[in-house]
Amino acid sequence: MKLLVPVKRVLDYNVKPRVRADGTGVDLAGSKMSMNPFDEIAVEEAVRLRERGVATEIVVVSIGVQQCQETLRTALAMGADRAILVLTEAAPEPLAVAKLLRALVLREGPRLVVLGKQAIDDDMNATGQMLAGLLGWAQATFASRVEVAAEADGGTATVTREVDGGLETIAVALPAIVTVDLRLNEPRYASLPNIMKARKKPMETLSLGDLGVDVTPRLTTLRVSEPPVRKGGVTVGSVAELVSKLRSEARVI
Amino acid sequence: MSERVREVMEYDVVVVGGGPAGLSASIRLKQVSPGASVCLVEKGSEIGAHILSGAVIEPRALDELIPDWRERGAPLDTAATDDRMIYLTAKRAVRVPLLDTVMPHMGNHGNFIVSLGDVCRWLAGQAEALGVEIYPGFGAAELLEEDGRIVGVATGDMGVTRSGEPGPGYAPGMELRAAYTLFAEGCRGSLSKRVMARFGLRAGVDPQTYGLGVKELWEVPAAQHRPGLVQHTFGWPLDHRTYGGSWMYHFGENLVSYGFVVGLDYPNTWLSPFDEMQRLKLHPAIRPHLEGGRRISYGARALSEGGLQSIPRLTFPGGALIGDAAGFLNVPKIKGTHAAMKSGMLAAEAVAEALADGRPAEPASFTARVRASWLWQELRGVRNIRPAFAKYGTIVGAAYSGLDAMLLRGRAPWTLRHRHPDHAVLDSAAASTPIDYPKPDGRLTFDKSSSVFLSNTNHAEDQPVHLVLRDPARWRAVNWDRFRSPESRYCPAGVYEVVGADGVGEAVGADAVSGPRLQINAQNCVHCKTCDIKDPTENIDWAAPEGGGGPNYIGGM
Ligand SMILES: Cc1cc2nc3c(=O)[nH]c(=O)nc-3n(C[C@H](O)[C@H](O)[C@H](O)COP(=O)(O)OP(=O)(O)OC[C@H]3O[C@@H](n4cnc5c(N)ncnc54)[C@H](O)[C@@H]3O)c2cc1C
Ligand code: SF4
């Protein structure tokens, strides 16, 4: 069974985002970029499924600029078999990404697509769901545990989901979409020997035209601003003072 | 998963460190010997992540390495056009007149203001296009030696827990073997230090001396941005026994690089380079440049200040030292980029020759190539300036340097020596005058923790501490009792914290009764190497932490 895992190149989680002075977006020039952490978890899960003998091939795909090749190489070093870069200077919105992924699913024929539940840059949390809708496949989102029983041309994925107030376990018929949550696994390091070997794994580059998808934006960004600066705390001298401040200044009691 | 067997890769040349020296060496090697296999490892999470510099650079070496760098889009976009050297007193600023005559070594005509990190990112692209294999995120942690020859390095293990055991994600390090290994770790390299000790490379040369540079990157309102402006100050807030001064470069899109260098032979144990940098911003020579802007990055790094007298033997069986790891830096100019690049290029040429010539133990022609180059001439010309400051203090030192430059053109028949390593120069707390630094205002001046936050520093939490006291008991007897913990002041990242003394911090458990104790917040370390240099008894050992850890300096830094 083949797996498809999309990975996104985002501003590294260690780097504090800085909004451009003109409010049009976050300044990324020269800043460290890396794989969206949720996508690392998706790659790790795919590799574990192959290690358990459930999957036979893992194809990773990234949509974006040439440097997304680095992100793909990391996925290959973690254990994916093959990579596809869909090259574009545009930053496609979730719906366009979902359409591109649908085209790739039709081309590659995976029976399971494993995605991060969201990307840490725009926090959209939409691509997996939209892809399921476009394909008419079952979906299991926010996975914290995944079991797959594949059969010749069917099978099920049993997925434990993190929902408000607890865990929910559902079974979905394959082919299916799974989006993964933080606690699913602890992704492995891309070790140096594996990074070296990954240089020899196949990487294919496609254009938007190859997939016949229109990525014209449908959303308009009006303004990007930084969160308001938090005011410094104060030290209170006594419980009585605390209570009075909570009452008169914070107005929470 | 956790077998400790290390995989091995063989190369012709392994380069340790992806700064200007290592990258230039790799590029030159591929230019003169395209068939050679070259592997470069860098401890930062990416090339440029750990590069901290001013930087006004001289394009001389780059012109030689990649003559068409302009067409290839090298990020040298702001020419240095307005050059000022200012002497400060607490309230006043006196501009040194006729700078080009009085201090020709300080002139900046034809130079460029850059982000050295961005330049390195660009150089890395050039190197990769030539076939150099570059692996960021992996620090070289160990020397490999066979039959008295360095045969490569090993990267550190990943996923080792704090107690030193392999954790769930354990991945053993890898052996990178090579005919020649070039150490391009920059100032105070952790393996360079071991190589120098192993082969006695410092015998007969002066001790290396150092400075610490603490830097902020600001974005300022367009109306107050003067692209091309290069300003240096000396004098206040340092006293005459302390070498140092500030730089301020306006470049790029409304960016200002501001920072302060302090010679690490400073005697006053109460001095804090970080706070000197902060308080200087309140001076009228600096304030109007930054006020109204926002600070977008912060970092710190040591640099070598010994100059020619302190350059060690450059080659040893199996390799060579290049760049600031060897101390190639024009000290009065605080310019090392062109020197690092040139030394890397010359080493590459020597290595290419050795590879083609039966692979003798040492790429020996490197030394002769250096001595025959403009680099050597340049460093010879300025060799007495820094030691003159150490010997005579700021005023006479500056006068000497003007005299040396104008009358002697650096050809003085004498060479002033560096007598003491920096760690040996520190007065006791009792003999030093305490310094009262102003409290940060949060707009123009800041504290350490909000600063480190902007360096995007991170280290995987569960790993062995990479800063070790060789003899923990000595801290109390020497560092505390005698010097009142200088490390808690010179460390620009707040890594060293005294707890349990005079109600500072709080001691836990058994320590509650045992008085002051040193807490090491190693995860904050920005890899400046100062503690490895300045600890009074050289009791602190800086070792490379797990690869990818440390600062993540942003573009423009
Ligand atoms: C504050 C300051 C201001 C300066 N201003 C200027 C200026 O205006 N103009 C100028 O020309 N020069 C300036 N310099 C000097 C210049 O930055 C240095 O001379 C130059 O960067 C040296 O280059 P390098 O390649 O030798 O070392 P570095 O630039 O220090 O690079 C060394 C690289 O090796 C990596 N490394 C170290 N150890 C290991 C290891 N064990 N394994 C893997 N990787 C490792 C480091 O992470 C780093 O990326 C300044 C320096 C400082 C500190
Ligand atoms: S711990 Fe040492 S190397 Fe790290 S930032 Fe502090 S002084 Fe520099």
Side-chain angles (χ1 to χ4, degrees):
Chain A
M1 179 172 91
K2 196 193 269 190
L3 301 186
L4 186 72
V5 184
V7 295
K8 184 175 185 184
R9 178 176 181 266
V10 298
L11 185 65
D12 187 88
Y13 70 97
N14 287 310
V15 179
K16 279 90 204 162
R18 179 167 51 90
V19 173
R20 277 197 295 265
D22 62 5
T24 55
V26 172
D27 194 346
L28 300 177
S31 289
K32 168 149 173 65
M33 308 290 284
S34 40
M35 193 191 304
N36 175 34
F38 290 108
D39 301 348
E40 283 186 350
I41 296 172
V43 174
E44 174 67 30
E45 198 61 19
V47 174
R48 290 187 189 183
L49 286 170
R50 200 196 45 211
E51 284 169 352
R52 277 187 269 165
V54 180
T56 48
E57 191 189 15
I58 301 165
V59 181
V60 284
V61 54
S62 191
I63 300 166
V65 294
Q66 193 70 37
Q67 290 90 326
C68 292
Q69 281 195 348
E70 291 161 22
T71 318
L72 289 168
R73 295 249 179 256
T74 306
L76 293 173
M78 290 172 71
D81 300 291
R82 191 152 69 73
I84 301 173
L85 169 64
V86 180
L87 191 61
T88 167
E89 290 292 323
E93 292 163 2
L95 182 59
V97 171
K99 287 179 181 170
L100 289 165
L101 292 177
R102 176 182 57 178
L104 285 166
V105 165
L106 298 178
R107 189 169 172 269
E108 292 288 336
R111 298 245 304 284
L112 189 63
V113 182
V114 190
L115 307 89
K117 71 165 180 179
Q118 67 197 56
I120 61 166
D121 52 359
D122 57 19
D123 280 343
M124 287 282 198
N125 188 351
T127 306
Q129 293 89 328
M130 286 179 169
L131 178 60
L134 291 172
L135 287 167
W137 287 12
Q139 59 174 304
T141 50
F142 313 140
S144 64
R145 192 180 152 87
V146 177
E147 297 287 339
V148 178
E151 289 149 27
D153 52 2
T156 45
T158 307
V159 175
T160 304
R161 310 178 59 232
E162 295 193 8
V163 291
D164 269 359
L167 299 175
E168 176 186 75
T169 303
I170 61 172
V172 292
L174 299 182
I177 305 291
V178 172
T179 77
V180 305
D181 215 327
L182 198 62
R183 272 171 286 272
L184 177 60
N185 60 47
E186 176 102 8
R188 70 195 63 195
Y189 292 101
S191 72
L192 186 50
N194 287 336
I195 291 177
M196 290 179 173
K197 285 168 202 153
R199 294 171 80 97
K200 301 197 177 74
K201 292 187 180 178
M203 177 153 352
E204 185 185 358
T205 302
L206 299 177
S207 68
L208 294 177
D210 293 334
L211 297 174
V213 174
D214 175 14
V215 300
T216 312
R218 297 168 162 233
L219 306 174
T220 316
T221 302
L222 298 180
R223 195 164 59 89
V224 179
S225 58
E226 273 173 18
V229 184
R230 261 200 306 164
K231 293 217 188 76
V234 288
T235 313
V236 291
S238 67
V239 175
E241 193 189 336
L242 172 67
V243 171
S244 107
K245 275 192 190 295
L246 288 177
R247 198 164 276 149
S248 63
E249 288 177 24
R251 293 179 198 280
V252 290
I253 54 174
Chain B
M1 189 167 205
S2 62
E3 84 274 24
R4 281 201 182 229
V5 186
R6 293 201 290 213
E7 292 198 44
V8 179
M9 254 325 255
E10 307 259 356
Y11 293 90
D12 292 321
V13 179
V14 164
V15 179
V16 180
L23 291 166
S24 301
S26 331
I27 291 171
R28 186 50 130 214
L29 204 75
K30 282 300 225 179
Q31 287 172 340
V32 294
S33 169
S37 56
V38 185
C39 168
L40 183 152
V41 284
E42 163 57 49
K43 67 179 161 61
S45 66
E46 56 159 8
I47 297 294
H50 287 185
I51 297 296
L52 187 126
S53 191
V56 174
I57 63 170
E58 288 185 19
R60 190 170 188 179
L62 181 60
D63 285 338
E64 292 177 9
L65 183 67
I66 305 176
D68 59 345
W69 56 264
R70 284 183 181 78
E71 291 73 51
R72 290 170 184 251
L76 281 67
D77 299 317
T78 311
T81 47
D82 184 1
D83 211 352
R84 304 178 185 175
M85 168 68 75
I86 300 177
Y87 176 75
L88 299 182
T89 66
K91 297 248 150 56
R92 242 171 278 207
V94 186
R95 200 164 151 183
V96 176
L98 301 172
L99 188 60
D100 286 344
T101 322
V102 188
M103 297 182 165
H105 50 274
M106 295 301 295
N108 275 307
H109 263 293
N111 295 340
F112 292 86
I113 309 174
V114 301
S115 151
L116 191 56
D118 288 348
V119 171
C120 287
R121 290 180 185 100
W122 177 84
L123 282 172
Q126 302 298 311
E128 279 185 321
L130 290 168
V132 177
E133 291 181 30
I134 299 184
Y135 298 108
F138 296 93
E142 197 182 317
L143 297 173
L144 302 176
E145 182 179 334
E146 269 166 25
D147 305 323
R149 177 171 179 159
I150 298 298
V151 293
V153 293
T155 61
D157 295 350
M158 307 284 271
V160 178
T161 64
R162 180 154 292 226
S163 57
E165 297 299 311
Y170 177 73
M174 184 174 192
E175 293 191 3
L176 301 169
R177 291 173 165 263
Y180 299 105
T181 307
L182 296 177
F183 292 88
E185 296 176 289
C187 176
R188 197 73 173 192
S190 45
L191 291 186
S192 311
K193 203 168 74 166
R194 282 187 228 166
V195 172
M196 285 191 255
R198 165 67 185 81
F199 295 102
L201 304 180
R202 301 209 62 89
V205 301
D206 286 2
Q208 185 58 273
T209 65
Y210 302 89
L212 168 63
V214 188
K215 170 175 175 177
E216 291 182 342
L217 183 67
W218 283 70
E219 189 178 56
V220 301
Q224 72 197 51
H225 194 239
R226 309 256 172 286
L229 175 64
V230 171
Q231 173 181 301
H232 293 105
T233 72
F234 64 114
W236 192 86
L238 297 178
D239 62 26
H240 294 333
R241 296 163 71 210
T242 310
Y243 183 78
S246 76
W247 79 81
M248 171 146 41
Y249 308 145
H250 288 238
F251 73 113
E253 273 186 48
N254 299 326
L255 296 178
V256 175
S257 162
Y258 163 74
F260 197 80
V261 176
V262 178
L264 286 177
D265 57 351
Y266 70 82
N268 186 337
T269 188
W270 298 110
L271 185 139
S272 159
F274 174 87
D275 294 293
E276 297 294 341
M277 182 271 266
Q278 293 299 338
R279 71 167 163 170
L280 177 55
K281 283 186 281 182
L282 300 170
H283 193 282
I286 308 291
R287 182 177 209 139
H289 292 265
L290 302 178
E291 205 148 45
R294 66 171 170 168
R295 188 174 69 142
I296 58 178
S297 187
Y298 168 82
R301 179 83 170 97
L303 55 137
S304 306
E305 290 193 342
L308 195 82
Q309 298 86 313
S310 303
I311 290 178
R313 188 164 192 276
L314 295 172
T315 59
F316 51 85
L321 300 168
I322 60 178
D324 206 5
F328 283 111
L329 191 122
N330 182 321
V331 185
K333 282 190 194 169
I334 352 170
K335 285 201 184 68
T337 307
H338 65 297
M341 294 182 71
K342 182 68 178 173
S343 65
M345 290 157 64
L346 294 169
E349 288 160 16
V351 162
E353 182 184 88
L355 284 173
D357 201 16
R359 309 194 164 203
E362 299 200 20
S365 76
F366 179 35
T367 309
R369 286 171 194 268
V370 168
R371 285 178 178 266
S373 71
W374 52 256
L375 177 57
W376 194 257
Q377 290 240 307
E378 177 183 332
L379 299 189
R380 249 193 92 67
V382 297
R383 73 191 182 285
N384 284 332
I385 293 176
R386 173 66 176 92
F389 277 87
K391 207 174 156 106
Y392 310 124
T394 307
I395 302 283
V396 183
Y400 177 92
S401 90
L403 217 73
D404 191 48
M406 280 196 297
L407 302 180
L408 307 165
R409 299 266 156 221
R411 287 187 296 253
W414 58 82
T415 294
L416 299 178
R417 322 250 25 134
H418 303 287
R419 306 248 169 248
H420 311 286
D422 294 333
H423 69 86
V425 186
L426 195 66
D427 292 341
S428 69
S432 299
T433 317
I435 306 175
D436 188 18
Y437 292 112
K439 277 215 160 31
D441 64 18
R443 300 227 307 280
L444 191 63
T445 57
F446 305 93
D447 63 8
K448 277 186 192 172
S449 64
S450 69
S451 303
V452 180
F453 181 77
L454 287 180
S455 67
N456 299 317
T457 296
N458 184 45
H459 290 90
E461 253 168 52
D462 193 14
Q463 66 170 306
V465 174
H466 72 282
L467 297 153
V468 185
L469 297 187
R470 293 191 174 90
D471 171 9
R474 217 188 296 157
W475 180 80
R476 178 70 193 266
V478 177
N479 296 44
W480 178 256
D481 288 348
R482 207 168 136 63
F483 299 106
R484 281 294 183 273
S485 185
E487 58 282 344
S488 60
R489 289 177 291 277
Y490 64 61
C491 172
V495 167
Y496 299 100
E497 230 180 308
V498 178
V499 291
D502 324 326
V504 186
E506 53 191 272
V508 265
D511 295 316
V513 282
S514 63
R517 169 175 79 81
L518 186 67
Q519 178 173 306
I520 303 182
N521 308 312
Q523 73 281 1
N524 285 353
C525 174
V526 298
H527 297 198
C528 78
K529 311 282 179 80
T530 302
C531 52
D532 198 275
I533 297 165
K534 186 67 175 172
D535 184 68
T537 59
E538 292 197 279
N539 195 25
I540 300 178
D541 187 33
W542 191 99
E546 189 171 295
N552 283 288
Y553 293 136
I554 57 171
M557 195 44 178

